[in-house]
Structures are given as structure tokens and as C-alpha cells.
Amino acid sequence: MREQVDLHRAINAVSDVVQNRPRPLRDFDQIHMKTGDMVVQSELVADWADKKRLAFIGDGDAISVCVAYLMARQVLSFGPSKITVFDFDERTVNAVKRFADKERLEHLDAELYNCLDAFPDRTKYDLFYTNPPWGASNNGESVNIFVERGIEAVRYEGEGMIVIADDDELDWPKQVLASVQAFSLERGFYVSRMQRKLHEYHLDDAPELRSCNLFVNSLPKNGERSKPSTATAVERLENFYGKLQAPKVKFVRERKRPDYGKASDDEYELELLERQSD
């Protein structure tokens, strides 16, 4: 049984990470998880991935950084042996690298990668984690593309944690869940468990919408099904980021190095005090 986590220290550590991550771009369905749920999620991920090599297929929330930082600060005494983030947003990649360098998180790294391309040939990972675009307008196909890259990262033999919309009052999350489960099973991965309605988000148009953790495990000898990765077919990209929003961007590039912990100088202006005459 794990020791009880010091919640005060955990929240403060996650707050450090939140202060240093890029702002979400809603055009690419980047929506940040609320901070309290990030604390819970980070502990869940660290426990699940203890002593394993973990690939993040995208990570706008910065859960990867939270897990590594909580381990380094000894808030958690367990967690992955290696974490690599694969993301198409250079702001995210650079933020991970800068934070890892600053805090000497030697087991954390990031790589610029678009999931529409073939997955790079890397050492096999044990686990994958993804919180992809939720696929409300394409029956979960956007989720499936991220899941496919995760399966390739573990070479068809391992486990995955998929963060996906979960709402009993809406039809589309149920349809997406069914689609993702069927897609995973076709590739030799079955649903091993599900943690329902776990996370809330800073989502103006649907503040009550939550997500779950969907865990998938490979079937025995499933690694024999492994095949070379290929680029995603164009016909799978319709409504990728929402209705009538197919991908048009290969990478989000970082124009300048921002200090995410401080307000940018283009966000404000100064009105000076009038000098008092003697």
C-alpha cells in the first residue's frame, strides 16, 4: 500500500508546473485540466507507471512534468523510470525541456512530433498516456489516431491510459468510447478498467463536461502483430479538431522564449502617476 501523499506539498508543486506551461490553443482542442484534478491524476499516473518507461502522446496539461517534479521533490516515492513527451506544439516541448533542465529532471524529455506522421523509431516504451482531441465531431477518430501512436510506442505490447470525455447526459461521449474500445480491440488491446468522471476542465461552453481514464492492455503475444508505422490517411482527418476543422498545421512554433510565470509585456500598459508640483 502506498504512503499517504502530502496534499499541501503536492498542490504547491503542481502549481509550479502550471505557472510554467503554455496557454492552451482552443483551435487545436487544447483545454487544460483543473489543478486539483491534475494533482489526483499525477498520483494515479505515477502509481500506474511505477518503474516503467512512459510515452506521452501529446501533453498540453503537463501531467508528464507534474509526475516527474513530484518525484524529484519527493512528494511521491514512486513513478516512471523514463518519461518522453511527443507533441506538435513547440511551446509545450520547450517548456518541458526548460523545466526539466531547471529542476534537473533527468528522466524527463520531450520531442517535437505530429501524430499524423509515422511514429519515430525509438526504444520500446512500456506504457503510453494520451489526452487527445475528444472526437465529438468524427466519432472518436481523432482519439483513435493518438491511441494508434501510443500502441506503436509500446510496439503493440504494453498498456495505455486514455483520457476521454465521459458524460451520461450526452450521446457523443458514449459513441466515442465505443469507437475507441472497438479500435483498440482491433489492434489487440482490451479495456482492463475505467475510472469514470474523474476530471474537470476550464471549458467555457461545457463547464460540467468531465473525462475518465480508460485503461487498455495488450493481449498475450500481441507484439507479434507489430508493424511499421505509417502516416495517417487523409480520409481519417475530417473534423479532427471539431466540425469542419481538419488539420492544417504541422507544428505550432514558438516565436520567442516566454516566461510563463510572468505577464507578457503585450498584455498590459502602464499609466504613470502625475508628478506633484512643489
Side-chain angles (χ1 to χ4, degrees), residues 148 151-152 155-156 186-187 222-230:
E148 183 173 15
I151 289 173
E152 291 172 348
R155 296 185 184 173
Y156 284 72
E186 287 174 359
R187 282 147 187 81
N222 200 57
E224 297 173 1
R225 303 175 56 163
S226 182
K227 53 187 178 181
S229 180
T230 59

Side-chain angles (χ1 to χ4, degrees), residues 184-251:
S184 300
L185 191 57
E186 287 174 359
R187 282 147 187 81
F189 281 74
Y190 66 95
V191 174
S192 57
R193 58 186 168 121
M194 185 176 176
Q195 296 170 328
R196 297 205 61 195
K197 300 178 183 177
L198 205 58
H199 325 106
E200 295 183 17
Y201 293 82
H202 296 285
L203 189 57
D204 294 339
D205 54 351
E208 301 302 317
L209 185 61
R210 296 191 178 193
S211 64
C212 66
N213 289 331
L214 183 72
F215 294 85
V216 294
N217 287 34
S218 60
L219 292 167
K221 298 183 179 179
N222 200 57
E224 297 173 1
R225 303 175 56 163
S226 182
K227 53 187 178 181
S229 180
T230 59
T232 304
V234 175
E235 56 266 23
R236 297 178 66 189
L237 305 182
E238 187 177 357
N239 302 321
F240 189 84
Y241 291 118
K243 195 169 184 178
L244 302 178
Q245 295 186 58
K248 298 177 181 177
V249 174
K250 185 173 181 63
F251 296 123

Side-chain angles (χ1 to χ4, degrees), residues 14-230:
V14 170
S15 178
D16 289 342
V17 175
V18 169
Q19 280 287 95
N20 287 279
R21 72 181 176 190
R23 294 185 182 188
L25 299 175
R26 188 64 192 276
D27 288 347
F28 304 113
D29 221 12
Q30 294 178 348
I31 307 163
H32 283 165
M33 191 182 291
K34 291 190 175 180
T35 305
D37 292 338
M38 289 180 64
V39 174
V40 174
Q41 184 74 347
S42 298
E43 183 183 1
L44 288 171
V45 170
D47 183 46
W48 168 68
D50 189 29
K51 300 179 177 62
K52 302 288 182 64
R53 293 172 54 85
L54 174 59
F56 276 75
I57 312 301
D59 189 28
D61 286 319
I63 295 295
S64 59
V65 184
C66 291
V67 171
Y69 190 47
L70 288 168
M71 293 170 63
R73 286 297 178 98
Q74 299 183 330
V75 178
L76 299 177
S77 62
F78 48 88
S81 60
K82 174 68 176 176
I83 303 172
T84 308
V85 178
F86 297 89
D87 202 294
F88 88 127
D89 190 336
E90 190 177 42
R91 302 174 310 146
T92 295
V93 171
N94 289 347
V96 171
K97 286 180 171 290
R98 283 193 293 265
F99 199 92
D101 181 62
K102 176 185 174 185
E103 300 296 334
R104 298 183 180 180
L105 308 177
E106 296 180 358
H107 59 303
L108 174 65
D109 199 5
E111 184 172 330
L112 192 64
Y113 165 70
N114 189 314
C115 72
L116 305 185
D117 296 331
F119 193 76
D121 185 15
R122 296 289 181 268
T123 303
K124 180 183 181 297
Y125 290 86
D126 303 303
L127 311 171
F128 74 87
Y129 175 103
T130 189
N131 186 349
W134 285 352
S137 301
N138 63 2
N139 197 38
E141 191 61 21
S142 8
V143 180
N144 290 338
I145 289 171
F146 277 77
V147 170
E148 183 173 15
R149 298 315 184 193
I151 289 173
E152 291 172 348
V154 301
R155 296 185 184 173
Y156 284 72
E157 197 170 44
E159 301 176 30
M161 185 189 297
I162 307 159
V163 181
I164 193 170
D166 186 15
D167 192 307
D168 291 332
E169 304 302 318
L170 299 173
D171 289 341
W172 70 263
K174 302 169 188 174
Q175 293 165 347
V176 169
L177 273 165
S179 172
V180 173
Q181 291 181 46
F183 181 88
S184 300
L185 191 57
E186 287 174 359
R187 282 147 187 81
F189 281 74
Y190 66 95
V191 174
S192 57
R193 58 186 168 121
M194 185 176 176
Q195 296 170 328
R196 297 205 61 195
K197 300 178 183 177
L198 205 58
H199 325 106
E200 295 183 17
Y201 293 82
H202 296 285
L203 189 57
D204 294 339
D205 54 351
E208 301 302 317
L209 185 61
R210 296 191 178 193
S211 64
C212 66
N213 289 331
L214 183 72
F215 294 85
V216 294
N217 287 34
S218 60
L219 292 167
K221 298 183 179 179
N222 200 57
E224 297 173 1
R225 303 175 56 163
S226 182
K227 53 187 178 181
S229 180
T230 59

